[in-house]
Amino acid sequence: GQNIDQPTEMTATEGAIVQINCTYQTSGFNGLFWYQQHAGEAPTFLSYNVLDGLEEKGRFSSFLSRSKGYSYLLLKELQMKDSASYLCAVMDSNYQLIWGAGTKLIIKP
Amino acid sequence: NAGVTQTPKFRVLKTGQSMTLLCAQDMNHEYMYWYRQDPGMGLRLIHYSVGEGTTAKGEVPDGYNVSRLKKQNFLLGLESAAPSQTSVYFCASTWTSDTGELFFGEGSRLTVL
């Protein structure tokens, strides 16, 4: 079966750095995606990785290792507004997105 | 810049009642999706459409029907609502099948009593 695993909840301090991990087992691979979802709102696209390595976009970076079935989202200089759920999704061989349950990130002052 | 708009945003139904959720997008996207989101679970695909006049089943299609009569609209219907269909429903759209950058509506919270 297809599976995406990510921690349920994480806590970090304002101004710090946090890494949210995602491991996956899917039928084929056509890219890994990270979305941010604030409570009660829609998911919004953050990043896309299809090749191994690190993609940086401002305070957010995303890393992919296809051989290990592993990705992480790195958030630097955390701000209170970063409190949200972070969803990991993998596009399988049929170009369908398989979604993880999300990681709720709590930022404390 | 409306993007993806869902109506209604909230609805309470009794078991056995029917209803339709409407999704409208103004980005000329070909692909449209209906997902449900439940606590502790990832988004699950109900039905999707690859263009006007087409629909296809997703992971959890039972109890739902869809129609895409116009390119900009994607309707999700519940013919006989059940408590198991209590959920938050998200519509999403995008240009092509090989992009995972989806644009989501704000969600519709449905409670079935």
Side-chain angles (χ1 to χ4, degrees), chain A residues 2-105:
Chain A
Q2 308 203 90
N3 195 49
I4 310 283
D5 285 318
Q6 47 182 136
T8 303
E9 187 175 294
M10 299 182 69
T11 302
T13 304
E14 189 177 16
I17 299 173
V18 70
Q19 178 176 311
I20 302 173
N21 295 326
C22 171
T23 58
Y24 63 89
Q25 291 180 308
T26 57
S27 301
F29 180 85
N30 281 300
L32 186 141
F33 303 83
W34 285 96
Y35 280 74
Q36 181 188 60
Q37 184 178 25
H38 286 101
E41 297 184 8
T44 55
F45 172 79
L46 281 179
S47 69
Y48 163 62
N49 294 70
V50 67
L51 299 176
D52 290 352
L54 188 68
E55 294 283 342
E56 298 186 76
K57 190 185 291 186
R59 293 188 299 113
F60 292 7
S61 302
S62 56
F63 172 83
L64 173 66
S65 170
R66 288 172 296 170
S67 63
K68 295 182 178 178
Y70 168 71
S71 172
Y72 67 73
L73 181 68
L74 192 71
L75 290 72
K76 303 177 184 177
E77 302 170 13
L78 286 170
Q79 302 175 10
M80 298 303 293
K81 67 178 181 179
D82 297 329
S83 292
S85 288
Y86 292 85
L87 314 181
C88 174
V90 173
M91 183 168 281
D92 69 11
S93 57
N94 293 320
Y95 294 97
Q96 296 289 346
L97 281 173
I98 310 302
W99 297 82
T103 299
K104 182 178 181 181
L105 178 62

Side-chain angles (χ1 to χ4, degrees), chain A residues 30 33 35 37 40-45 48 87 91 95-102, chain B residues 33 35 37 40-43 45 48 90 97-102 104-107 109:
Chain A
N30 281 300
F33 303 83
Y35 280 74
Q37 184 178 25
E41 297 184 8
T44 55
F45 172 79
Y48 163 62
L87 314 181
M91 183 168 281
Y95 294 97
Q96 296 289 346
L97 281 173
I98 310 302
W99 297 82
Chain B
Y33 307 84
Y35 286 96
Q37 187 175 43
M41 303 182 74
L43 289 164
L45 183 63
Y48 64 101
F90 285 100
S97 63
D98 58 354
T99 173
E101 183 178 355
L102 303 183
F104 284 85
E106 294 181 347
R109 183 174 295 275

Side-chain angles (χ1 to χ4, degrees), chain B residues 55-113:
Chain B
T55 63
K57 294 180 180 180
E59 179 187 357
V60 289
D62 294 343
Y64 305 94
N65 57 76
V66 288
S67 65
R68 182 110 181 259
L69 298 180
K70 293 182 178 181
K71 184 177 184 177
Q72 63 268 35
N73 296 337
F74 195 29
L75 279 64
L76 177 71
L78 285 71
E79 290 186 347
S80 179
S84 61
Q85 294 177 305
T86 293
S87 187
V88 180
Y89 292 86
F90 285 100
C91 176
S93 69
T94 192
W95 295 279
T96 63
S97 63
D98 58 354
T99 173
E101 183 178 355
L102 303 183
F103 295 82
F104 284 85
E106 294 181 347
S108 299
R109 183 174 295 275
L110 175 65
T111 302
V112 183
L113 302 176

